[in-house]
Coordinates of all heavy atoms in Angstrom, one line a residue:
M1 N 50.4 -20.9 -30.6 CA 50.9 -20.5 -29.3 C 50.1 -19.4 -28.6 O 49.4 -18.5 -29.2 CB 52.2 -19.8 -29.6 CG 53.2 -19.6 -28.4 SD 53.7 -21.1 -28.0 CE 54.8 -20.8 -27.1
P2 N 49.7 -19.7 -27.3 CA 48.8 -18.9 -26.6 C 49.4 -17.5 -26.4 O 50.5 -17.3 -26.4 CB 48.6 -19.6 -25.2 CG 49.4 -20.7 -25.3 CD 50.2 -20.9 -26.6
Q3 N 48.4 -16.5 -26.2 CA 49.0 -15.1 -26.0 C 49.4 -15.0 -24.6 O 48.9 -15.7 -23.7 CB 47.8 -14.2 -26.3 CG 47.3 -14.0 -27.8 CD 46.3 -13.0 -27.9 OE1 45.8 -12.5 -27.0 NE2 46.0 -12.7 -29.2
I4 N 50.3 -14.1 -24.3 CA 50.6 -13.8 -23.0 C 49.6 -13.4 -22.1 O 48.8 -12.5 -22.6 CB 51.9 -12.7 -23.0 CG1 53.1 -13.3 -23.6 CG2 52.2 -12.2 -21.5 CD1 54.3 -12.4 -23.8
G5 N 49.4 -13.9 -21.0 CA 48.3 -13.6 -20.2 C 47.1 -14.5 -20.3 O 46.1 -14.4 -19.6
S6 N 47.3 -15.5 -21.2 CA 46.1 -16.4 -21.4 C 46.0 -17.4 -20.2 O 47.1 -17.7 -19.5 CB 46.4 -17.3 -22.6 OG 46.5 -16.6 -23.8
Q7 N 44.8 -17.8 -20.0 CA 44.8 -18.8 -18.9 C 44.9 -20.2 -19.4 O 44.3 -20.5 -20.6 CB 43.2 -18.7 -18.4 CG 43.0 -17.6 -17.5 CD 41.6 -17.5 -17.0 OE1 40.8 -18.2 -17.2 NE2 41.6 -16.5 -16.0
L8 N 45.6 -21.0 -18.9 CA 46.1 -22.4 -19.3 C 45.7 -23.5 -18.4 O 45.8 -23.2 -17.2 CB 47.6 -22.3 -19.8 CG 48.1 -21.3 -20.5 CD1 49.6 -21.4 -20.5 CD2 47.6 -21.4 -22.0
I9 N 45.6 -24.7 -18.8 CA 45.5 -25.9 -17.9 C 46.4 -26.9 -18.7 O 46.4 -27.2 -20.0 CB 44.2 -26.5 -17.9 CG1 43.2 -25.5 -17.2 CG2 44.3 -27.8 -17.1 CD1 41.8 -26.0 -17.1
M10 N 47.4 -27.4 -17.9 CA 48.4 -28.3 -18.5 C 48.9 -29.2 -17.4 O 48.9 -28.9 -16.3 CB 49.5 -27.6 -19.1 CG 50.4 -27.0 -18.3 SD 51.7 -25.9 -19.1 CE 50.8 -24.5 -19.4
G11 N 49.4 -30.5 -17.8 CA 50.0 -31.4 -16.8 C 51.5 -31.0 -16.8 O 52.0 -30.7 -18.0
I12 N 52.2 -30.9 -15.8 CA 53.6 -30.6 -15.7 C 54.2 -31.7 -14.9 O 53.6 -32.3 -13.9 CB 53.8 -29.2 -15.1 CG1 53.2 -29.0 -13.7 CG2 53.4 -28.1 -16.0 CD1 53.8 -27.8 -13.0
G13 N 55.5 -31.9 -15.1 CA 56.3 -32.8 -14.5 C 57.6 -32.3 -14.2 O 58.1 -31.3 -14.7
N14 N 58.3 -33.0 -13.3 CA 59.8 -32.7 -13.0 C 60.6 -32.8 -14.1 O 60.4 -33.8 -14.8 CB 60.3 -33.3 -11.7 CG 59.6 -33.0 -10.4 OD1 59.2 -31.8 -10.2 ND2 59.5 -33.8 -9.5
Y15 N 61.5 -32.0 -14.3 CA 62.6 -31.9 -15.4 C 63.5 -33.1 -15.0 O 64.0 -33.3 -13.9 CB 63.3 -30.7 -15.5 CG 64.6 -30.8 -16.1 CD1 64.8 -30.9 -17.4 CD2 65.7 -30.5 -15.3 CE1 66.0 -31.1 -18.0 CE2 67.1 -30.6 -15.8 CZ 67.2 -30.9 -17.2 OH 68.4 -31.0 -17.7
H16 N 63.8 -34.0 -16.0 CA 64.8 -35.0 -15.9 C 65.8 -34.9 -17.1 O 65.3 -35.0 -18.3 CB 64.1 -36.4 -15.9 CG 63.2 -36.5 -14.7 ND1 63.8 -36.8 -13.5 CD2 61.9 -36.6 -14.6 CE1 62.7 -36.9 -12.6 NE2 61.5 -36.8 -13.3
P17 N 67.1 -34.4 -16.8 CA 67.9 -34.3 -17.9 C 68.2 -35.5 -18.8 O 68.2 -36.6 -18.2 CB 69.3 -33.8 -17.3 CG 69.1 -34.3 -15.9 CD 67.6 -34.4 -15.5
D18 N 68.4 -35.3 -20.0 CA 68.6 -36.4 -20.9 C 70.1 -37.0 -20.9 O 70.5 -38.0 -21.2 CB 68.3 -36.1 -22.4 CG 66.8 -35.9 -22.6 OD1 66.0 -36.5 -22.0 OD2 66.6 -35.0 -23.5
S19 N 71.0 -36.0 -20.5 CA 72.4 -36.2 -20.3 C 73.0 -35.4 -19.5 O 72.4 -34.3 -19.0 CB 73.0 -36.1 -21.8 OG 73.0 -34.7 -22.1
T20 N 74.3 -35.6 -19.1 CA 75.1 -34.7 -18.1 C 75.3 -33.5 -18.8 O 75.2 -32.5 -18.1 CB 76.2 -35.3 -17.6 OG1 77.1 -35.8 -18.7 CG2 76.1 -36.6 -16.7
Q21 N 75.5 -33.6 -20.2 CA 75.9 -32.2 -20.8 C 74.5 -31.3 -20.8 O 74.7 -30.2 -20.5 CB 76.1 -32.5 -22.3 CG 76.4 -31.3 -23.1 CD 76.8 -31.6 -24.5 OE1 76.6 -32.8 -25.0 NE2 77.0 -30.6 -25.3
Q22 N 73.3 -31.9 -21.0 CA 72.2 -31.0 -20.8 C 72.0 -30.6 -19.5 O 71.5 -29.3 -19.2 CB 70.9 -31.9 -21.2 CG 69.6 -31.1 -21.3 CD 68.4 -32.0 -21.6 OE1 68.2 -33.0 -21.0 NE2 67.7 -31.6 -22.6
E23 N 72.2 -31.4 -18.5 CA 72.0 -30.9 -17.1 C 73.1 -29.8 -16.7 O 72.7 -28.8 -16.2 CB 72.2 -32.1 -16.1 CG 72.0 -31.8 -14.7 CD 72.3 -33.0 -13.7 OE1 72.9 -34.0 -14.1 OE2 71.9 -32.8 -12.6
K24 N 74.2 -29.8 -17.3 CA 75.2 -28.6 -17.1 C 74.7 -27.4 -17.8 O 74.9 -26.2 -17.2 CB 76.6 -29.1 -17.6 CG 77.3 -30.1 -16.7 CD 78.7 -30.6 -17.3 CE 79.2 -31.7 -16.5 NZ 80.6 -32.1 -17.2
M25 N 74.3 -27.5 -18.9 CA 73.7 -26.4 -19.7 C 72.6 -25.7 -18.9 O 72.7 -24.6 -18.9 CB 73.4 -26.8 -21.1 CG 72.9 -25.7 -21.9 SD 72.1 -26.1 -23.5 CE 70.6 -26.8 -22.9
Y26 N 71.7 -26.4 -18.5 CA 70.6 -25.8 -17.7 C 70.9 -25.3 -16.4 O 70.4 -24.2 -16.0 CB 69.4 -26.9 -17.6 CG 68.6 -27.1 -18.8 CD1 68.0 -28.4 -19.0 CD2 68.3 -26.1 -19.7 CE1 67.3 -28.7 -20.2 CE2 67.6 -26.4 -20.9 CZ 67.1 -27.7 -21.0 OH 66.3 -27.9 -22.2
K27 N 72.0 -25.9 -15.8 CA 72.5 -25.4 -14.6 C 73.2 -24.1 -14.7 O 72.9 -23.2 -13.8 CB 73.5 -26.4 -14.0 CG 73.9 -26.2 -12.5 CD 74.7 -27.2 -12.0 CE 75.1 -27.1 -10.5 NZ 75.8 -28.2 -10.1
K28 N 73.7 -23.8 -15.8 CA 74.3 -22.4 -16.2 C 73.1 -21.4 -16.1 O 73.5 -20.1 -15.7 CB 74.9 -22.3 -17.6 CG 76.2 -22.8 -17.7 CD 76.8 -22.2 -19.0 CE 76.9 -23.3 -20.1 NZ 77.6 -22.7 -21.2
F29 N 72.0 -21.7 -16.3 CA 70.8 -20.7 -16.3 C 70.1 -20.8 -15.1 O 69.0 -20.2 -14.8 CB 69.9 -20.9 -17.5 CG 70.5 -20.8 -18.6 CD1 70.9 -21.9 -19.6 CD2 70.8 -19.5 -19.2 CE1 71.5 -21.7 -20.7 CE2 71.5 -19.3 -20.5 CZ 71.8 -20.4 -21.2
G30 N 70.6 -21.5 -14.0 CA 70.1 -21.7 -12.7 C 68.9 -22.6 -12.6 O 68.1 -22.6 -11.8
L31 N 68.8 -23.5 -13.5 CA 67.7 -24.6 -13.7 C 68.1 -25.8 -13.2 O 69.3 -26.4 -13.4 CB 67.1 -24.6 -15.1 CG 66.7 -23.4 -15.6 CD1 66.3 -23.5 -17.1 CD2 65.5 -22.7 -15.0
S32 N 67.2 -26.5 -12.3 CA 67.6 -27.7 -11.9 C 66.3 -28.6 -11.7 O 65.2 -28.2 -12.1 CB 68.2 -27.6 -10.5 OG 67.2 -27.2 -9.5
Q33 N 66.4 -29.9 -11.2 CA 65.2 -30.7 -11.1 C 64.4 -30.2 -9.9 O 63.2 -30.6 -9.9 CB 65.6 -32.0 -10.8 CG 66.3 -32.8 -11.9 CD 66.8 -34.2 -11.6 OE1 66.0 -34.9 -10.7 NE2 67.9 -34.6 -12.1
N34 N 64.7 -29.2 -9.1 CA 63.9 -28.6 -8.1 C 63.1 -27.4 -8.5 O 62.4 -27.0 -7.7 CB 64.8 -28.2 -7.0 CG 65.5 -29.6 -6.3 OD1 64.9 -30.5 -6.3 ND2 66.6 -29.3 -6.0
N35 N 63.5 -26.7 -9.6 CA 62.8 -25.4 -10.0 C 62.5 -25.4 -11.5 O 62.2 -24.4 -11.9 CB 63.8 -24.3 -9.7 CG 64.9 -24.2 -10.4 OD1 65.3 -25.0 -11.3 ND2 65.9 -23.2 -10.2
F36 N 62.5 -26.5 -12.2 CA 62.3 -26.5 -13.6 C 61.4 -27.6 -13.9 O 61.6 -28.7 -13.5 CB 63.7 -26.6 -14.4 CG 63.5 -26.6 -15.8 CD1 62.7 -25.7 -16.7 CD2 64.2 -27.4 -16.5 CE1 62.8 -25.7 -18.0 CE2 64.1 -27.5 -18.0 CZ 63.4 -26.6 -18.7
Y37 N 60.4 -27.3 -14.7 CA 59.2 -28.3 -14.9 C 59.0 -28.4 -16.5 O 59.2 -27.5 -17.2 CB 57.9 -28.1 -14.3 CG 58.2 -28.0 -12.8 CD1 58.4 -26.7 -12.2 CD2 58.0 -29.1 -12.0 CE1 58.7 -26.6 -10.9 CE2 58.3 -29.0 -10.7 CZ 58.6 -27.8 -10.0 OH 58.7 -27.8 -8.7
T38 N 58.5 -29.6 -17.0 CA 58.3 -29.7 -18.4 C 56.8 -30.0 -18.5 O 56.0 -30.5 -17.5 CB 59.2 -30.9 -18.9 OG1 58.8 -32.1 -18.2 CG2 60.6 -30.7 -18.9
I39 N 56.3 -29.8 -19.6 CA 54.8 -30.0 -19.8 C 54.7 -31.4 -20.3 O 55.4 -32.0 -21.3 CB 54.3 -29.1 -21.0 CG1 54.4 -27.6 -20.6 CG2 52.8 -29.4 -21.4 CD1 54.1 -26.6 -21.6
N40 N 53.9 -32.2 -19.6 CA 53.6 -33.5 -20.0 C 52.6 -33.6 -21.2 O 51.6 -33.0 -21.2 CB 52.8 -34.3 -18.9 CG 53.8 -34.4 -17.7 OD1 55.0 -34.3 -17.8 ND2 53.2 -34.6 -16.4
N41 N 53.0 -34.3 -22.2 CA 52.1 -34.5 -23.4 C 51.4 -33.3 -23.9 O 50.3 -33.1 -23.9 CB 51.0 -35.5 -23.1 CG 51.6 -36.8 -22.7 OD1 52.4 -37.3 -23.4 ND2 51.0 -37.5 -21.7
P42 N 52.4 -32.2 -24.4 CA 51.7 -30.9 -24.9 C 50.9 -31.0 -26.0 O 50.0 -30.1 -26.2 CB 53.0 -30.0 -25.0 CG 54.0 -31.0 -25.2 CD 53.8 -32.3 -24.5
E43 N 50.9 -32.1 -26.8 CA 50.1 -32.3 -27.9 C 48.7 -32.6 -27.5 O 47.8 -32.2 -28.3 CB 50.7 -33.4 -28.8 CG 52.1 -33.2 -29.4 CD 53.1 -33.7 -28.4 OE1 52.9 -34.3 -27.4 OE2 54.3 -33.3 -28.6
T44 N 48.5 -33.1 -26.3 CA 47.1 -33.5 -26.0 C 46.6 -33.0 -24.6 O 45.3 -33.0 -24.5 CB 46.9 -35.0 -26.0 OG1 47.9 -35.6 -25.1 CG2 47.2 -35.7 -27.4
T45 N 47.5 -32.6 -23.8 CA 47.0 -32.2 -22.5 C 47.5 -30.8 -22.2 O 48.2 -30.3 -21.4 CB 47.6 -33.1 -21.2 OG1 49.0 -33.1 -21.4 CG2 47.1 -34.6 -21.5
F46 N 47.0 -29.8 -23.1 CA 47.2 -28.4 -23.0 C 46.1 -27.6 -23.5 O 45.8 -27.6 -24.7 CB 48.6 -28.1 -24.0 CG 49.1 -26.8 -23.8 CD1 50.3 -26.5 -23.0 CD2 48.6 -25.6 -24.3 CE1 50.9 -25.3 -22.9 CE2 49.2 -24.3 -24.3 CZ 50.3 -24.3 -23.5
W47 N 45.5 -27.0 -22.5 CA 44.2 -26.4 -22.9 C 44.4 -24.8 -22.7 O 45.1 -24.4 -21.8 CB 43.0 -26.7 -22.0 CG 42.6 -28.0 -22.2 CD1 41.4 -28.4 -23.0 CD2 43.0 -29.4 -21.7 NE1 41.3 -29.8 -23.1 CE2 42.2 -30.4 -22.2 CE3 44.1 -29.6 -20.9 CZ2 42.4 -31.7 -21.8 CZ3 44.3 -30.9 -20.5 CH2 43.4 -31.9 -21.1
V48 N 43.8 -24.0 -23.6 CA 43.8 -22.6 -23.5 C 42.4 -22.0 -23.5 O 41.5 -22.4 -24.2 CB 44.6 -21.9 -24.9 CG1 44.6 -20.4 -24.7 CG2 46.0 -22.5 -24.8
K49 N 42.3 -21.0 -22.6 CA 40.9 -20.6 -22.5 C 40.8 -19.4 -23.6 O 41.5 -18.4 -23.6 CB 40.7 -19.9 -21.1 CG 39.3 -19.6 -20.8 CD 39.1 -19.3 -19.4 CE 37.6 -19.3 -19.0 NZ 37.3 -19.0 -17.6
T50 N 39.8 -19.5 -24.4 CA 39.5 -18.7 -25.5 C 38.0 -18.2 -25.5 O 37.3 -19.2 -25.7 CB 40.0 -19.2 -26.8 OG1 41.3 -19.6 -26.8 CG2 39.9 -18.2 -28.0
N51 N 37.7 -17.0 -25.5 CA 36.3 -16.6 -25.6 C 35.5 -17.2 -24.4 O 34.3 -17.7 -24.4 CB 35.7 -16.9 -27.0 CG 36.4 -16.1 -27.9 OD1 36.7 -14.9 -27.9 ND2 36.5 -16.8 -29.2
G52 N 36.3 -17.4 -23.3 CA 35.5 -17.9 -22.0 C 35.4 -19.3 -21.9 O 34.8 -19.9 -21.0
K53 N 36.0 -20.1 -22.8 CA 35.9 -21.6 -22.9 C 37.3 -22.1 -23.2 O 38.1 -21.6 -24.0 CB 35.0 -22.1 -23.9 CG 33.6 -21.8 -23.6 CD 32.6 -22.7 -24.6 CE 31.3 -22.6 -23.8 NZ 30.4 -23.8 -24.3
Y54 N 37.6 -23.2 -22.5 CA 38.9 -23.9 -22.7 C 38.8 -24.9 -24.0 O 37.7 -25.5 -24.2 CB 39.2 -24.8 -21.5 CG 39.8 -24.1 -20.3 CD1 38.9 -23.9 -19.2 CD2 41.0 -23.6 -20.3 CE1 39.4 -23.1 -18.1 CE2 41.5 -22.9 -19.1 CZ 40.7 -22.7 -18.1 OH 41.2 -21.9 -17.1
Q55 N 40.0 -24.8 -24.7 CA 39.9 -25.7 -25.9 C 41.3 -26.3 -26.0 O 42.3 -25.7 -25.5 CB 39.6 -25.0 -27.1 CG 40.4 -23.9 -27.5 CD 40.0 -23.1 -28.9 OE1 38.9 -23.2 -29.2 NE2 40.9 -22.5 -29.6
I56 N 41.5 -27.5 -26.6 CA 42.8 -28.0 -26.8 C 43.6 -27.2 -27.6 O 43.1 -26.7 -28.7 CB 42.6 -29.5 -27.2 CG1 41.9 -30.3 -26.2 CG2 43.9 -30.2 -27.5 CD1 41.6 -31.7 -26.7
N57 N 44.9 -27.0 -27.2 CA 45.7 -26.0 -28.1 C 46.3 -26.8 -29.1 O 47.6 -26.5 -29.6 CB 46.7 -25.5 -27.1 CG 47.5 -24.2 -27.7 OD1 46.8 -23.4 -28.3 ND2 48.8 -24.3 -27.7
N58 N 45.7 -27.6 -29.8 CA 46.3 -28.4 -30.9 C 45.2 -28.5 -32.1 O 44.2 -29.0 -31.9 CB 46.6 -29.9 -30.5 CG 47.3 -30.5 -31.7 OD1 47.1 -30.3 -32.9 ND2 48.1 -31.6 -31.3
P59 N 45.5 -27.6 -33.2 CA 44.5 -27.7 -34.2 C 44.0 -29.0 -34.8 O 42.9 -29.1 -35.3 CB 45.3 -26.8 -35.3 CG 46.3 -26.1 -34.7 CD 46.6 -27.0 -33.5
A60 N 44.9 -29.9 -34.7 CA 44.6 -31.3 -35.3 C 43.4 -31.8 -34.4 O 42.8 -32.8 -34.9 CB 45.8 -32.2 -35.1
F61 N 43.1 -31.4 -33.2 CA 42.1 -32.0 -32.4 C 40.8 -31.2 -32.6 O 39.8 -31.5 -32.0 CB 42.5 -31.9 -30.9 CG 43.3 -33.0 -30.6 CD1 44.8 -33.0 -30.7 CD2 42.9 -34.2 -30.1 CE1 45.5 -34.0 -30.4 CE2 43.7 -35.3 -29.7 CZ 44.9 -35.2 -29.8
N62 N 40.7 -30.2 -33.5 CA 39.6 -29.4 -33.6 C 38.8 -29.8 -34.9 O 38.5 -29.1 -35.8 CB 40.0 -27.9 -33.7 CG 40.5 -27.4 -32.4 OD1 40.0 -27.8 -31.3 ND2 41.5 -26.5 -32.5
N63 N 38.5 -31.0 -34.9 CA 37.6 -31.6 -36.0 C 36.8 -32.8 -35.4 O 37.0 -33.4 -34.4 CB 38.5 -32.0 -37.3 CG 39.4 -33.1 -36.9 OD1 39.0 -34.2 -36.5 ND2 40.7 -32.8 -37.2
S64 N 35.8 -33.1 -36.3 CA 34.8 -34.2 -35.7 C 35.4 -35.5 -35.6 O 35.0 -36.3 -34.8 CB 33.7 -34.1 -36.7 OG 33.9 -34.4 -38.0
A65 N 36.4 -35.8 -36.5 CA 37.1 -37.2 -36.3 C 37.9 -37.3 -35.1 O 37.9 -38.2 -34.5 CB 38.0 -37.4 -37.6
A66 N 38.6 -36.2 -34.7 CA 39.4 -36.2 -33.6 C 38.4 -36.4 -32.3 O 38.6 -37.0 -31.3 CB 40.2 -35.1 -33.4
K67 N 37.2 -35.5 -32.4 CA 36.3 -35.6 -31.2 C 35.7 -37.0 -30.9 O 35.4 -37.5 -29.9 CB 35.2 -34.7 -31.5 CG 35.6 -33.2 -31.3 CD 34.6 -32.2 -31.6 CE 35.1 -30.8 -31.3 NZ 34.2 -29.8 -31.6
H68 N 35.6 -37.8 -32.2 CA 35.1 -39.2 -32.0 C 36.2 -40.1 -31.4 O 36.0 -40.9 -30.6 CB 34.6 -39.6 -33.3 CG 34.0 -41.0 -33.3 ND1 32.9 -41.3 -32.8 CD2 34.6 -42.2 -33.9 CE1 32.8 -42.7 -32.9 NE2 33.7 -43.2 -33.5
K69 N 37.4 -39.9 -31.9 CA 38.6 -40.8 -31.5 C 39.1 -40.6 -30.2 O 39.4 -41.4 -29.5 CB 39.7 -40.5 -32.7 CG 40.9 -41.6 -32.4 CD 41.8 -41.3 -33.5 CE 43.0 -42.4 -33.3 NZ 44.0 -42.3 -34.3
F70 N 39.0 -39.4 -29.7 CA 39.6 -38.9 -28.5 C 38.5 -38.4 -27.5 O 38.6 -37.3 -27.0 CB 40.7 -37.9 -28.6 CG 41.8 -38.4 -29.4 CD1 42.0 -37.9 -30.8 CD2 42.7 -39.2 -29.0 CE1 42.9 -38.3 -31.6 CE2 43.8 -39.7 -29.9 CZ 43.8 -39.2 -31.1
K71 N 37.6 -39.3 -27.3 CA 36.4 -38.9 -26.4 C 36.7 -38.4 -25.0 O 36.2 -37.6 -24.6 CB 35.4 -40.2 -26.4 CG 34.7 -40.4 -27.7 CD 33.8 -41.5 -27.5 CE 33.3 -41.9 -28.9 NZ 32.4 -43.2 -28.9
N72 N 37.7 -39.2 -24.5 CA 37.8 -38.8 -23.0 C 38.6 -37.4 -23.0 O 38.3 -36.8 -22.0 CB 38.9 -39.8 -22.6 CG 38.2 -41.2 -22.2 OD1 37.0 -41.1 -21.9 ND2 38.8 -42.3 -22.2
I73 N 39.4 -36.9 -23.9 CA 40.0 -35.7 -23.8 C 39.0 -34.6 -24.0 O 38.9 -33.6 -23.2 CB 41.0 -35.5 -25.1 CG1 42.2 -36.5 -24.9 CG2 41.4 -34.0 -25.3 CD1 43.2 -35.9 -23.8
Y74 N 37.9 -34.9 -24.8 CA 36.7 -34.0 -24.9 C 36.0 -34.0 -23.7 O 35.3 -33.0 -23.3 CB 36.0 -34.2 -26.3 CG 36.9 -33.5 -27.4 CD1 37.7 -34.2 -28.1 CD2 36.7 -32.2 -27.6 CE1 38.5 -33.6 -29.1 CE2 37.4 -31.5 -28.6 CZ 38.2 -32.2 -29.3 OH 39.2 -31.5 -30.2
K75 N 35.7 -35.1 -23.1 CA 34.9 -35.2 -21.7 C 35.7 -34.3 -20.8 O 35.0 -33.6 -20.0 CB 34.7 -36.6 -21.3 CG 33.8 -37.4 -22.0 CD 33.8 -38.9 -21.5 CE 32.9 -39.8 -22.3 NZ 32.8 -41.1 -21.8
L76 N 37.0 -34.5 -20.7 CA 37.8 -33.5 -19.8 C 37.7 -32.2 -20.1 O 37.5 -31.2 -19.2 CB 39.3 -34.1 -19.8 CG 40.1 -33.5 -18.7 CD1 39.5 -33.7 -17.3 CD2 41.5 -34.0 -18.8
T77 N 37.7 -31.8 -21.3 CA 37.5 -30.4 -21.7 C 36.1 -29.9 -21.3 O 36.0 -28.7 -20.8 CB 37.6 -30.4 -23.3 OG1 38.9 -30.8 -23.6 CG2 37.5 -28.9 -23.9
D78 N 35.0 -30.7 -21.4 CA 33.7 -30.3 -21.1 C 33.7 -30.1 -19.6 O 33.0 -29.1 -19.1 CB 32.7 -31.4 -21.4 CG 32.3 -31.5 -22.8 OD1 32.9 -30.6 -23.6 OD2 31.9 -32.5 -23.3
K79 N 34.4 -30.9 -18.7 CA 34.4 -30.8 -17.3 C 35.1 -29.4 -17.0 O 34.7 -28.6 -16.0 CB 35.1 -32.0 -16.6 CG 34.4 -33.2 -16.5 CD 34.9 -34.2 -15.7 CE 34.0 -35.2 -15.8 NZ 34.3 -36.3 -14.6
F80 N 36.2 -29.1 -17.6 CA 36.8 -27.8 -17.4 C 36.0 -26.6 -17.7 O 36.0 -25.5 -16.9 CB 38.2 -27.7 -18.3 CG 39.3 -28.6 -18.0 CD1 40.3 -29.0 -19.0 CD2 39.5 -29.0 -16.6 CE1 41.2 -29.9 -18.7 CE2 40.5 -29.7 -16.2 CZ 41.5 -30.2 -17.3
N81 N 35.1 -26.7 -18.7 CA 34.3 -25.7 -19.1 C 33.0 -25.6 -18.2 O 32.4 -24.6 -18.2 CB 33.9 -25.7 -20.5 CG 35.0 -25.3 -21.4 OD1 35.8 -24.4 -21.2 ND2 35.3 -26.1 -22.5
Q82 N 32.7 -26.5 -17.4 CA 31.6 -26.4 -16.4 C 32.2 -25.8 -15.2 O 31.1 -25.4 -14.3 CB 31.2 -28.0 -16.2 CG 30.5 -28.5 -17.4 CD 30.1 -30.0 -17.1 OE1 30.3 -30.6 -16.0 NE2 29.5 -30.7 -18.1
Q83 N 33.4 -25.7 -14.9 CA 33.8 -25.0 -13.7 C 33.6 -23.6 -13.6 O 33.8 -22.9 -14.5 CB 35.2 -25.5 -13.4 CG 35.6 -27.0 -13.2 CD 34.7 -27.7 -12.0 OE1 34.7 -27.1 -11.1 NE2 34.1 -28.9 -12.4

């Protein structure tokens, strides 16, 4: 879990309730499809800036096998770190 104040990059999307019960529960807290967002694919599209560089926030991706298998994610990470 990133520390409060961390710089993050992630994909977000509009919230879509799974049921009317879920929609009612969130509505109690003032959340709706207009003001509530979910993280898209948090296992793979969630980067945290640590020591001046972005890295994927999933420890399973921090090994050489993952870097070989998920080349495009690491290419994108490299682009973030070039900015």
Side-chain angles (χ1 to χ4, degrees):
M1 198 64 168
Q3 293 180 355
I4 293 175
S6 297
Q7 291 182 348
L8 310 171
I9 296 175
M10 68 185 82
I12 60 172
N14 288 333
Y15 156 71
H16 297 287
D18 294 329
S19 66
T20 54
Q21 181 181 1
Q22 185 183 52
E23 186 173 15
K24 286 177 187 178
M25 180 184 70
Y26 285 145
K27 193 173 185 176
K28 272 200 249 183
F29 299 105
L31 302 173
S32 71
Q33 292 182 32
N34 298 321
N35 67 1
F36 182 47
Y37 302 90
T38 58
I39 300 172
N40 295 334
N41 301 318
E43 297 85 12
T44 57
T45 59
F46 189 102
W47 290 263
V48 178
K49 194 170 196 177
T50 305
N51 298 324
K53 290 196 168 204
Y54 285 101
Q55 63 182 25
I56 296 173
N57 192 51
N58 183 334
F61 279 83
N62 294 323
N63 61 56
S64 58
K67 288 180 182 181
H68 179 72
K69 186 175 180 180
F70 302 102
K71 291 177 186 177
N72 289 336
I73 292 289
Y74 280 91
K75 285 180 186 178
L76 188 55
T77 303
D78 290 341
K79 286 187 180 198
F80 290 150
N81 286 319
Q82 291 171 3
Q83 301 298 319

